[in-house]
Amino acid sequence: MDVDLHCHSTASDGALAPAEVVARAHARGVRVLALTDHDTLEGLDEAQAAAQALDMRLINGIELSCTWGGATIHVLGYAFAADAPALLKATAELHDSRWLRAEEIGARLAAKGMPGAFDGARAVQQELGDSGNAPARPHFAEFLVRAGHVRDRAEAFRKWLGAGKLGDVKQHWPTLAEAVATLREAGAWISLAHAWHYDFTRSKRRKLIADFVAAGGQALEVVNGMQPAEQVGSLAILAREFGLLVTAGSDFHAPGDWSELGMYRPLPDDLLPLWTRFDHGHSRLAAC
Ligand code: AMP
Ligand code: ZN
Ligand code: FE
Ligand code: FE
């Protein structure tokens, strides 16, 4: 695919520096890329410079953490001005709260007989690259593997870090409505990320989307990497029902992982991709 609107770098929990993500995307045929690191704008300048040198288009992006109905939800924002005051304020707050959260995760794991997780996760993160941001759950997962507390990262999430587990510390996140309001103030296009990944019933998922739309969200991420085609189909039905624009992306984090830049299931072709609304009228891209 030549458009990828969801990926991560070492600015959050990815394994490649922003410029490396851009170069890898370009090599894989991506020509319009959005870097969507968790709760940070840190990687955007480097990514923009790399994209310019390769004559590809980099859309400013971010994936904001928030809560809705007691669950952690991710909201994607696109094509905002990176110096928008609302976003600078929100990311500054999230920067601080993510450090507090990482300490809290470390303390909770220590209380369960797994000491040293904060420093261990930070060490994992620093091996990948230098970031001023707090270690994220994937860094904690890798620490738990290395310390022998779990067999693999999947088990780390299943037992300790996944939704509703002790490491899913979310008291620091804004609400869904607040996150959407921040993005709207910054002039962003807004898409609800991977709505199938939340462990919700069908009716709760529909309610989430209704609330997202009521808050001012405009698009649904109908395709997230190689998620099963039936899930894409269900999300497409919801996009039609709510009259939403759609987005798609790989959610790439690291080479050799479960996702790869530019790789995701095709969007049903009756849906209107959000990227057709980015400026300069990318009609060629609209058809892909
Ligand atoms: P954080 O920003 O610290 O909340 O970490 C969120 C990231 O953790 C997500 O973007 C995924 O990369 C990863 N993650 C969340 N849940 C799982 C899971 N169940 N299995 C594997 N990775 C997960
Ligand atoms: Zn991530
Ligand atoms: Fe996400
Ligand atoms: Fe993501």
Side-chain angles (χ1 to χ4, degrees):
M1 311 282 183
D2 62 2
V3 180
D4 191 338
L5 295 189
H6 193 155
C7 64
H8 300 271
S9 75
T10 47
S12 63
D13 58 357
L16 302 181
E20 293 172 327
V21 173
V22 170
R24 188 179 181 92
H26 185 268
R28 293 188 48 82
V30 175
R31 293 297 175 265
V32 178
L33 179 74
L35 179 65
T36 53
D37 274 309
H38 299 282
D39 303 321
T40 185
L41 305 169
E42 193 185 280
L44 295 181
D45 285 348
E46 182 184 321
Q48 282 292 359
Q52 243 169 44
L54 289 167
D55 199 24
M56 68 187 274
R57 182 140 194 244
L58 188 99
I59 306 294
N60 282 339
I62 192 165
E63 183 171 18
L64 285 180
S65 308
C66 57
T67 59
W68 177 83
T72 299
I73 301 292
H74 287 170
V75 171
L76 295 158
Y78 295 111
F80 45 79
D83 59 356
L87 210 43
L88 292 178
K89 178 168 178 288
T91 50
E93 285 168 10
L94 283 161
H95 172 91
D96 294 348
S97 51
R98 287 190 76 99
W99 277 107
L100 294 172
R101 171 185 186 250
E103 282 175 25
E104 169 87 24
I105 294 173
R108 289 186 184 192
L109 290 170
K112 293 285 181 188
M114 294 169 277
F118 176 84
D119 289 338
R122 181 72 177 143
V124 167
Q125 181 192 21
Q126 297 223 287
E127 275 172 30
L128 297 168
D130 194 25
S131 166
N133 292 320
R137 282 183 286 167
H139 304 121
F140 281 93
E142 178 63 20
F143 162 78
L144 290 174
V145 174
R146 291 186 190 181
H149 298 301
V150 293
R151 259 170 315 182
D152 53 28
R153 280 187 267 170
E155 187 180 324
F157 274 95
R158 210 163 49 242
K159 280 174 97 163
W160 301 114
L161 301 166
K165 303 295 177 192
L166 135 174
D168 178 24
V169 178
K170 56 203 165 204
Q171 68 262 34
H172 301 288
W173 302 150
T175 64
L176 174 74
E178 287 166 346
V180 171
T182 293
L183 290 170
R184 282 196 75 99
E185 269 186 74
W189 288 97
I190 309 162
S191 184
L192 182 64
H194 46 60
W196 204 273
H197 291 10
Y198 313 119
D199 191 18
F200 290 171
T201 61
R202 208 164 271 272
S203 64
K204 190 166 178 190
R205 189 172 300 114
R206 173 175 277 103
K207 180 76 167 73
L208 166 65
I209 294 167
D211 283 3
F212 170 74
V213 171
Q218 303 123 327
L220 193 61
E221 187 184 56
V222 165
V223 183
N224 182 273
M226 295 308 287
Q227 74 179 128
E230 314 85 75
Q231 298 180 6
V232 173
S234 295
L235 292 171
I237 289 168
L238 288 162
R240 289 181 198 109
E241 178 185 335
F242 286 92
L244 290 166
L245 294 162
V246 297
T247 65
S250 62
D251 211 349
F252 171 80
H253 281 78
D257 241 0
W258 51 277
S259 65
E260 184 49 84
L261 286 159
M263 202 172 78
Y264 52 83
R265 291 199 190 278
L267 271 174
D269 55 18
D270 64 303
L271 300 173
L272 187 60
L274 172 64
W275 58 85
T276 60
R277 299 300 177 90
F278 296 154
D279 49 359
H280 320 315
H282 278 268
S283 52
R284 185 183 66 81
L285 297 163
C288 71

